[in-house]
Amino acid sequence: MTPGELAQARTRTLRDVVGPGLHVLFCGINPGLMSAYRGEHFARPGNRFWPALHASGFTPRRYAPAEQEDVLALGFGLTNVAPRATARADELTAEELVAGGRALTAKVARHRPRWLAVLGVTAYRVAFADKRAVVGPQERTLGATRVWVLPSPSGLNAHWTPAALAEEFARLRVAAFAEGPADTTPEPDTDAGAAAAVAPGARLRSR
């Protein structure tokens, strides 16, 4: 990206891809600069989100970020915890993540996805004040929506290989599509709850 494009990206937000009847609402930490500039979720070439979706069976082929609107027809959507675009996720403050957790709770109440999948365990721990959370299904629910924490798909997350990442995505896919149709009736636009505040300073993996 050129310096001018980089400056533009830092001032942009990324529109959600959401709708009724979602089996899974995938939630990144926050937009990366390339994603914000292009208006496409998980647009950085090294990000493994789109490959993991295909390898896990969520998509019949590997989708490009530019095809993000097409995922609604497959039963899932895309959003972020925090709206501010950054080069690295660890540029976010804990306060931003906590505020994002509150906004995400309200968003889930409106759209009622069957599952909320947060892509990054550290971000989830901060946003929802759950220091003991680990990757996988959570005891917490947001109304009728269950919560699953997935590993960050960032290429910098070396703890998770592409194969292991796809395997965890596949576990969620089996759970998400195991039951009948998702609820298609949205709730009024209200704040459904608030995440508890936590001390600042948590470090996150970049996208």
Side-chain angles (χ1 to χ4, degrees):
M1 300 177 69
T2 67
E5 291 171 338
L6 187 67
Q8 290 181 47
R10 290 186 180 277
T11 64
R12 295 181 179 180
T13 56
L14 188 57
R15 184 173 59 85
D16 291 341
V17 178
V18 291
L22 298 178
H23 288 271
V24 182
L25 178 59
F26 288 100
C27 181
I29 300 172
N30 73 311
L33 296 181
M34 184 170 291
S35 289
Y37 181 76
R38 291 173 54 180
E40 299 167 357
H41 290 263
F42 305 104
R44 185 175 178 177
N47 193 288
R48 299 172 294 175
F49 175 77
W50 296 103
L53 278 189
H54 175 47
S56 62
F58 269 106
T59 59
R61 58 177 175 81
R62 179 170 168 177
Y63 279 38
E67 298 176 286
Q68 62 185 13
E69 298 292 337
D70 295 343
V71 304
L72 290 174
L74 300 177
F76 57 93
L78 306 167
T79 188
N80 286 284
V81 176
R84 183 167 68 95
T86 61
R88 297 178 58 92
D90 57 13
E91 294 177 41
L92 296 172
T93 66
E95 289 76 13
E96 286 179 285
L97 290 170
V98 170
R102 291 194 294 266
L104 184 58
T105 298
K107 193 176 302 181
V108 165
R110 290 196 300 273
H111 297 287
R112 295 184 178 183
R114 176 171 296 155
W115 287 89
L116 171 68
V118 180
L119 292 131
V121 66
T122 302
Y124 176 82
R125 288 170 179 166
V126 177
F128 290 95
D130 187 351
K131 296 180 180 179
R132 297 184 178 181
V134 296
V135 168
Q138 307 299 303
E139 293 186 5
R140 174 193 303 272
T141 61
L142 301 178
T145 298
R146 298 191 63 189
V147 180
W148 196 295
V149 175
L150 290 170
S152 168
S154 168
L156 299 180
N157 187 3
H159 294 292
W160 287 82
T161 65
L165 192 65
E167 183 178 350
E168 189 62 30
F169 271 61
R171 289 181 61 211
L172 169 60
R173 179 184 58 79
V174 171
F177 289 89
E179 302 172 1
D183 189 349
T184 60
T185 305
E187 280 289 300
D189 189 3
T190 56
D191 188 343
V198 297
R203 305 294 290 179
L204 308 174
R205 297 190 181 278
S206 63
R207 292 145 329 283

